[in-house]
Amino acid sequence: DIIDALMGVTEMSTAVAKSIAAKQIGINILGDKLFEATLDLNEVKNPKGVKGYQDGVQTYIRRSAVKGFSVFLHERVHAYEFLNKVPQKEISSRKGERRAYWHEHEYQVKKGEHIEYKDLDEIIVHVNLNYNP
């Protein structure tokens, strides 16, 4: 279902769908308690607000955050970048988060999902407030 939902919507969602189909990116959906137990709480300002995270080519999603497919795309963008040799430091930076949120936003618009941030300015504000420099 995830591959079908991502395929052909945007350039990035299609690239991510193909990497999932090729088993290059892992998908792990965890219950809230297990999800929070796996977070590095020293790195997270608000653990309850985290929907997912990426560790190398593995992605972890909080089960209660799954309301559409864009949350899958966001974390898979990070894993796709890692797979394509983007340094983890850049992936985890504010710049990397802005890229992932922008790809998520494009997908939400094209797919007709709920749009979390109306434009790049809102994404920048969110990232600056919630992610370390």
Side-chain angles (χ1 to χ4, degrees):
D1 289 346
I2 295 168
I3 294 168
D4 290 341
L6 298 177
M7 190 67 76
V9 180
T10 67
E11 185 176 327
M12 179 57 81
S13 71
T14 299
V16 167
K18 288 178 180 178
S19 64
I20 295 169
K23 299 187 183 336
Q24 296 172 311
I25 295 176
I27 299 171
N28 303 280
I29 302 171
L30 306 174
D32 287 4
K33 285 184 181 180
L34 182 56
F35 179 84
E36 288 179 19
T38 65
L39 285 174
D40 180 354
L41 297 178
N42 295 321
E43 301 268 329
V44 178
K45 291 182 181 180
N46 176 14
K48 299 280 186 207
V50 176
K51 296 178 185 177
Y53 66 93
Q54 162 264 342
D55 184 6
V57 295
Q58 293 296 316
T59 58
Y60 301 85
I61 304 293
R62 179 191 296 270
R63 182 177 306 281
S64 64
V66 179
K67 294 184 173 54
F69 289 99
S70 63
V71 69
F72 290 105
L73 178 61
H74 179 104
E75 296 307 329
R76 282 0 165 255
V77 166
H78 294 316
Y80 181 80
E81 288 182 341
F82 184 86
L83 185 67
N84 286 283
K85 310 291 188 232
V86 175
Q88 184 63 52
K89 186 173 183 173
E90 182 180 333
I91 292 168
S92 300
S93 71
R94 285 181 174 173
K95 181 180 177 183
E97 286 299 333
R98 286 191 303 265
R99 276 195 310 268
Y101 276 109
W102 181 252
H103 288 298
E104 184 179 2
H105 171 80
E106 284 184 315
Y107 177 84
Q108 289 168 343
V109 169
K110 291 213 174 178
K111 195 71 172 179
E113 283 192 7
H114 168 75
I115 297 171
E116 195 166 0
Y117 305 102
K118 71 175 182 164
D119 56 25
L120 185 56
D121 289 337
E122 281 192 7
I123 290 170
I124 291 169
V125 168
H126 170 75
V127 169
N128 288 347
L129 288 174
N130 293 287
Y131 293 88
N132 294 325

